[in-house]
């Protein structure tokens, strides 16, 4: 099968997680700002789309070249063998961006890239006049950075965070891939308790259950490249069958999600049911201060309100104070709280073990990490030498 240069895009701060996921899939990669670069065939593309939990998209890097004039952009784009990727009826919109480049007009870059591709395809297919563009979607992007042009073809379609289980999202939800990133960063293990005290629509708990059962996050959705003429459907069937075989539906998970708002708890239950995970997660209406446990070595992950709106700051900081009072005595539990309030530690009442800068959409946040005690090491069984 044909080999491609590929990229998995990601939110700033979690590229390394995407890279680790690729390596866990047996795919070598290099990490760059906001993306991981790797090589592979259509089966690699199918595997990455199906299994990547923390990435946004998987794209084919069609070409990379320097261009400082529109003539260069046209000629070098026109020289690409587009007929190998795009059939005559391909629907191929061209998105664009330009950063610190001489060709700074994004709309002009888009138009010239499109014109160059149309010219190439019209010549190849002996087509005069407009191309029909009535077929499958081939979303292209021309991106310029310091006069380097990168043209990509999106294989994913709707972003990878759209798993397909969220019936409704409520107020200010965390994207599914960011929720998965928080769980990955926590190093939670499926044999340990897991708790989200402000679960909202249940995203963090559902992502934890998907990880615990080793269910591919893209299992119940389709991808743009499955509609392409040159992609064999049997490849995606094979990758989905392999993913189904790897899922562990029998393991019992200890996952609890709570929220003070009963409507959100009801919504979380519906979303978990849609994901087929209602038996793996307990959701209940409860205020944060009522949490007690006699369990050890659990993980708490919370994405509380940030107090961004006028008048909310005082109530949110009161919530942070409650968190400190309730969670500090749980010395074997690790706690991970995501917030944009850089004074969080002051109100929580304890300095974090570690902080990590992340972006929740466009909002710059910090993940405040409080690591619990490690469980004691189990003594190795004694061995006796044979006489």
């Amino acid at each position: 099968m044909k080999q491609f240069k590929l990229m998995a895009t990601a939110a700033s701060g979690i590229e390394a997680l995407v890279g680790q996921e690729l390596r866990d899939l047996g795919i070598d990669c290099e990490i760059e700002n906001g993306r991981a670069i790797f090589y592979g065939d259509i089966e690699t593309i199918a595997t990455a789309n199906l299994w990547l939990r923390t990435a946004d998209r998987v794209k084919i890097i069609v070409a990379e070249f320097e261009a400082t004039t529109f003539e260069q952009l046209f000629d070098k784009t026109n020289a690409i063998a587009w007929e190998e990727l795009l059939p005559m009826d391909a629907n191929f919109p061209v998105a664009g961006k330009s950063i610190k480049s001489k060709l700074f007009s994004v709309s002009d870059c888009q138009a010239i890239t499109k014109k160059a591709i149309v010219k190439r395809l019209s010549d190849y297919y002996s087509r005069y006049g407009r191309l029909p563009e009535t077929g499958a979607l081939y979303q292209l992007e021309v991106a310029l950075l310091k006069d380097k042009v990168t043209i990509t073809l999106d294989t994913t379609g709707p972003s990878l965070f759209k798993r397909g289980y969220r019936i409704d999202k409520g107020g200010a939800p965390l994207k599914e891939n960011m929720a998965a990133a928080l769980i990955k960063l926590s190093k939670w293990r499926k044999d340990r308790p897991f708790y989200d005290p402000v679960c909202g629509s249940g995203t963090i708990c559902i992502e934890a259950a998907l990880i615990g059962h080793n269910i591919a996050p893209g299992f119940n959705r389709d991808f743009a490249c499955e509609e392409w003429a040159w992609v064999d459907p049997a490849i995606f069937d094979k990758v989905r069958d392999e993913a189904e075989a790897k899922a562990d539906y029998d393991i019992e998970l200890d996952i609890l999600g709570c929220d003070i708002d009963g409507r959100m708890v009801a919504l979380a239950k519906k979303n978990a049911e849609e994901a087929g995970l209602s038996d793996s997660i307990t959701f209940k209406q409860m205020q944060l201060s009522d949490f007690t446990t006699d369990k050890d070595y659990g993980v708490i992950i919370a994405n509380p309100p940030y107090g961004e709106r006028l008048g909310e700051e005082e109530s949110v900081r009161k919530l942070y104070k409650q968190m400190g009072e309730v969670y500090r005595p749980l010395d074997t539990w690790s706690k991970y709280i995501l917030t944009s309030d850089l004074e969080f530690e002051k109100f929580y009442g304890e300095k974090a073990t570690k902080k990590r800068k992340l972006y929740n959409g466009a909002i710059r946040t910090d993940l405040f990490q409080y690591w619990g005690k490690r469980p004691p090491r189990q003594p190795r069984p004694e061995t006796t030498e044979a006489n």
Side-chain angles (χ1 to χ4, degrees), residues 344-363:
F344 171 81
E345 292 163 304
K346 172 183 170 184
F347 298 97
Y348 185 86
E350 184 182 358
K351 190 172 176 59
T353 311
K354 186 178 180 181
K355 290 187 290 186
R356 185 176 184 130
K357 183 169 72 173
L358 297 171
Y359 282 87
N360 182 7
I363 302 173

Side-chain angles (χ1 to χ4, degrees), residues 187-372:
K187 303 284 197 292
W188 172 69
R189 286 172 29 181
K190 57 190 176 184
D191 59 346
R192 303 273 173 83
F194 184 95
Y195 171 49
D196 178 359
V198 283
C199 69
S201 59
T203 305
I204 294 176
C205 291
I206 293 170
E207 290 297 316
L210 288 172
I211 291 170
H213 287 299
N214 197 36
I215 296 171
F219 189 80
N220 288 318
R221 58 160 288 174
D222 298 320
F223 303 98
C225 63
E226 292 184 75
E227 299 297 318
W228 297 351
W230 46 272
V231 172
D232 183 354
I235 295 170
F236 270 85
D237 290 341
K238 174 178 179 281
V239 173
R240 285 193 174 96
D241 287 345
E242 289 172 349
E244 177 70 14
K246 290 175 181 175
D248 180 0
Y249 296 105
D250 295 328
I251 187 171
E252 289 191 13
L253 302 174
D254 185 357
I255 300 175
L256 172 64
C258 297
D259 202 283
I260 197 170
D261 187 342
R263 293 168 301 174
M264 296 308 295
V265 172
L267 177 56
K269 288 179 179 178
K270 286 182 181 177
N271 287 338
E273 186 177 351
E274 183 68 19
L277 296 167
S278 53
D279 292 337
S280 300
I281 310 166
T282 300
F283 286 113
K284 65 179 181 179
Q285 184 178 3
M286 185 177 76
Q287 60 184 9
L288 187 148
S289 57
D290 288 341
F291 177 71
T292 59
T293 183
D294 56 4
K295 299 171 184 175
D296 285 320
Y297 307 111
V299 167
I300 295 170
I301 298 181
N303 178 39
Y306 300 162
E308 299 277 323
R309 295 176 186 168
L310 193 64
E312 286 184 343
E313 187 178 87
E314 186 178 343
S315 63
V316 167
R317 286 180 166 177
K318 184 180 177 182
L319 183 71
Y320 298 162
K321 186 171 183 289
Q322 282 182 350
M323 283 182 164
E325 291 168 352
V326 174
Y327 300 154
R328 270 199 308 277
L330 305 176
D331 60 357
T332 68
W333 284 64
S334 293
K335 308 99 183 179
Y336 297 79
I337 296 104
L338 185 72
T339 175
S340 63
D341 190 339
L342 299 182
E343 292 190 90
F344 171 81
E345 292 163 304
K346 172 183 170 184
F347 298 97
Y348 185 86
E350 184 182 358
K351 190 172 176 59
T353 311
K354 186 178 180 181
K355 290 187 290 186
R356 185 176 184 130
K357 183 169 72 173
L358 297 171
Y359 282 87
N360 182 7
I363 302 173
R364 190 263 200 214
T365 61
D366 276 291
L367 181 63
F368 292 87
Q369 306 173 44
Y370 296 86
W371 299 346

Side-chain angles (χ1 to χ4, degrees), residues 7 35 61 63-65 141-144 148-152:
M7 74 160 77
R35 61 188 189 176
I61 300 176
E64 296 172 289
F65 53 83
E141 181 183 64
V142 55
L144 288 83
K148 181 183 177 181
V149 179
T150 302
I151 300 178
T152 56

